[in-house]
Amino acid sequence: MRWNQAGKVVGLMLIVLAMILSACGSSQGAANGTKAETETKTEAKGLVITLKGDPVGFDPQNTTDTISSLINYQIYDRLVTFNEKMEVVPQLAKSWTTSEDGKTWTFELNTGVTFTDGTPFNAEAVKTSFERVADEGKNLSQHSLVGSFIDNITTNGENEVVFHLKAPQGAFLGNLASVASSILSPKSIKENEEGIAKNPVGTGPFQLKKFTTGDAVVLEANKDYWGGAPKISTVTFKNVPETASRVIMLENGESDLMEGVPITEIERLKQNSELVINPIKANRIAYIGFNTTVKPFDQPAVRQALNYAIDKETLVNKLYDGRVTVATSAIASRTIGYSNVGSYPFDMEKAKQILKDAGIVPGNYKFRLILAANVVQDKPAAEFVQNSLQQLGFNIELQTLELGTYLETLKDPGKYDLFVRGALATTGDADPLFRDALLSTSATNYAHYNNPEVDKLILAGQEQFDQTQRLESYAKVLELVKTDAPWIFLHEDMARYGMSKKVEGITFLPTYVYDLRKAVKN
């Protein structure tokens, strides 16, 4: 018995010991499992973003469309960049100084940076990249913004580059922060310059993996990124032109982010616990441009009359649900150079009287109002203007054109009378926008507006290094533009993003561009 009892005791001790060992083993296994789960949770995931179309190309010095800018923003870095407040902050440059006359800018560069083709980033690379866009003979579309002011560039060793400008440039630093000032691999310029549009090489956090026209652009993480490896593995920009389809994809989890959430869908989508709706006040106004080369739009009084005929308060409150605001100048209120010159108040009777005094019989005129199909957010405004001008007695035909056709049409002033367009300050400053859309010598001044005094003020503001003087020049520009009325200012725009709550860390800019460098998908 004793042996038996002793045996039982021993047996029980062995069982307990086995249980303890088992428990310890289970505990270790659990610990390993937790660790594995944690590793799984922290593994970088892919991000899917739906866009309204394809990029034009990946050469930031030779593209101007917003989709290309958005994607190139992730592939390339710049000497300086914008934070979410559109303040200029360092990126590839650690610091900079400028001469008293504003003509010489010296940048000290970060070290240990390489392009994704393995070549080193240094002062010579910066020099090579900017010499390309400064070369007028290459006819790059961003030459006027970032290349036309450069006289020459010199280097002091590996890590210091000096820009010598032809004249002071008040907006120079902001221009360097634009996508157009992205630094390209000197190897890609030397060996395959024509191919940059399809095979981009930058120092950015992502590199191009695949582009299928009409389908998607896929970027993959640059794991050696000097600013820290991205926390998402891939970014797929899918081309989904239909707004309703983009909304459905966001709701069912096929995409993580979309731009252009319809105003009519905002409140419903806000009820979805998996989503967040993020509206950003954009640096853009929507406007109607007059072709001032056609009668009777060659008369400022007629253009003023049509300004009075648009009830902009009703437009923003009824069509846009009060989510946008009436534009009070030719540029958005967040733009450097903005001043409130006021909008023309709605006064239909005054509009009719001005036309009568000018001898205009509206019924004798038929006008073509053109709109780009990709700016779907402007279509309600275009239809509202069409209806308002028809109330004056004009016959207005609204033509919605594919983007390429729209831009080609604008090149021929014989093919349109009015046009819908947005004034977007991509650098946060009025300078490039004024020179692009209002300077009489600009090829993209589609209103063919010509006021020598405005030209003089725009060019003066461009070279004024004193900020107070620049703002004074631009305030006069805005006053004159309001009086001359080459445009009907409509409203300041909002970028409306819909996003999965699983995504964090994206920096949204008021230029319809966002930064994925710190993006995370949980």
Side-chain angles (χ1 to χ4, degrees), residues 309-311 348 383-393:
I310 309 301
D311 185 353
M348 188 62 87
E383 293 171 340
F384 186 86
V385 170
Q386 178 191 27
N387 181 265
S388 299
L389 300 187
Q390 285 174 338
Q391 290 181 38
L392 273 179

Side-chain angles (χ1 to χ4, degrees), residues 51-64:
L51 301 176
K52 301 172 187 174
D54 283 333
V56 172
F58 304 109
D59 183 345
Q61 296 179 343
N62 203 29
T63 51
T64 59

